[in-house]
Amino acid sequence: MNPPILSLGALLRPATPGLKATFLQIQQAFLDEGIQIVLENSSAEMIGLSGVGLCVDFESMCQKVDALMSVGGDGTLLSALRRAYGYMIPSFGINTGHLGFLTAIGPDEVAAFAQMLLKGEYAINEHMMLEARLQTPTGERYFYALNEILISKKKLSGMIHIKARIDKELFNVYHADGLIVGTPTGSTAYNISAGGSVVYPFCKNILLTPISPHSLTQRPMVLNDEFALAFSIGSDGVLVIDGQEIIEMGQNDNLVITAARHCAKLIQKPSRSYFGVLKSKFKWGEE
């Protein structure tokens, strides 16, 4: 049995002020069941609720509440999980978008879900994350991803040359439009569009999937999570984190990627079936 969840920190999809009515409906449904809602400042400002009720900055919110709740789609939840890395706080998403691969419920399921949270009758799934350290001549920077880190060319034309090392040993040079370094959770995101394998999300693997490689022998690879991977590029490029954050990478930079120390903790209904979600979202098995 899990501990009861009595307070939630809420984040809303950015630049979507039309979410106000939906959020207020969700908030009231949780309040009716005795669960307190704390709204993150930027979300409160977006829907015109700054200074109304419990509104705090993100860091303070993570320290006050029992769990985080995102309202939007998978992208909103991904952003919340990256920002919350290190706080060791469980999270879930309420889907108002289209795909909803990671989100737990829809707005009409809040009352029943609240009862599960109060009784501790929810499931917590641990999803591996990636830690990346970008080493540059002026210093280094850390960042985290739940789905993938894309190493990509900066210009539309041509290819990017990516030297890849495993535990400091050079094992490949990719000539491609880019390279996806992904997690099992991210295997059904950009990775599957690039021809990578679907991997059960609770496995501990690092996926390497080249995008439009110059050579047909440059195939996707699946590694375990014990390796330290290092990458350098032959021309200026960019890193794209979970499809949301863009970071420039230069020819003299070194990128080191490993499995992150902490996993993302996602709250789900105990009845949720991963394979059922795959079948529903990808229309598998339909005649």
Side-chain angles (χ1 to χ4, degrees):
M1 185 70 68
N2 295 303
I5 290 178
L6 304 176
S7 60
L8 294 171
L11 299 99
L12 311 183
R13 184 196 292 127
T16 318
L19 277 177
K20 181 176 181 177
T22 301
F23 168 73
L24 291 176
Q25 171 194 337
I26 291 169
Q27 181 186 46
Q28 190 59 54
F30 276 116
L31 289 174
D32 288 344
E33 301 297 334
I35 296 178
Q36 184 185 62
I37 302 294
V38 178
L39 185 58
E40 191 258 348
N41 277 338
S42 62
S43 295
E45 183 177 351
M46 179 185 74
I47 61 174
L49 293 181
S50 294
V52 179
L54 293 173
C55 303
V56 299
D57 62 84
F58 183 80
E59 291 74 17
S60 298
M61 183 172 69
C62 289
Q63 295 166 5
K64 285 178 177 287
V65 299
D66 297 327
L68 292 182
M69 169 185 74
S70 70
V71 180
D74 281 350
T76 312
L77 181 56
L78 283 170
S79 177
L81 290 168
R82 287 203 315 277
R83 292 177 66 188
Y85 182 83
Y87 286 101
M88 305 299 292
I89 185 170
S91 308
F92 68 91
I94 297 180
N95 183 34
T96 62
H98 300 290
L99 187 56
F101 221 101
L102 297 173
T103 49
I105 59 172
D108 58 340
E109 301 174 87
V110 169
F113 196 68
Q115 285 294 316
M116 290 183 188
L117 298 182
L118 287 170
K119 296 176 182 178
E121 296 175 348
Y122 54 90
I124 293 186
N125 297 329
E126 294 193 345
H127 294 252
M128 171 187 159
M129 296 185 72
L130 296 175
E131 176 184 282
R133 183 169 81 253
L134 182 62
Q135 301 167 323
T136 73
T138 59
E140 60 183 22
R141 176 181 178 184
Y142 287 82
F143 45 91
Y144 300 89
L146 178 61
N147 273 356
E148 78 277 317
I149 297 166
L150 169 65
I151 306 171
S152 180
K153 59 187 182 180
K154 197 171 183 179
K155 299 179 180 179
L156 290 177
S157 61
M159 294 181 295
I160 188 169
H161 298 176
I162 304 169
K163 289 185 178 180
R165 294 175 171 82
I166 296 180
D167 289 343
K168 300 182 179 180
E169 177 184 354
L170 180 68
F171 83 96
N172 205 347
V173 180
Y174 293 95
H175 303 272
D177 283 351
L179 177 68
I180 298 168
V181 185
T183 67
T185 301
S187 69
T188 51
Y190 194 4
N191 173 75
I192 197 173
S193 300
S197 297
V198 175
V199 180
Y200 188 63
F202 310 130
C203 292
K204 304 296 184 182
N205 298 111
I206 300 177
L207 286 56
L208 297 177
T209 304
I211 301 171
S212 301
H214 179 65
S215 170
L216 292 179
T217 62
Q218 302 282 13
R219 309 307 298 170
M221 289 184 63
V222 180
L223 306 170
N224 71 19
D225 66 341
E226 298 176 357
F227 293 112
L229 308 179
F231 304 93
S232 57
I233 54 180
S235 58
D236 289 346
V238 294
L239 306 175
V240 185
I241 314 303
D242 283 343
Q244 296 178 334
E245 185 178 358
I246 299 176
I247 300 166
E248 292 195 358
M249 180 176 176
Q251 297 181 55
N252 297 319
D253 297 345
N254 185 53
L255 177 67
V256 179
I257 298 178
T258 60
R261 179 180 303 178
H262 304 303
C263 292
K265 296 183 177 183
L266 277 183
I267 296 174
Q268 298 284 1
K269 293 185 291 187
S271 60
R272 185 179 192 268
S273 165
Y274 170 73
F275 299 105
V277 172
L278 276 184
K279 182 180 177 182
S280 173
K281 302 302 181 184
F282 290 160
K283 311 299 181 185
W284 287 356
E286 294 188 358
E287 296 293 339

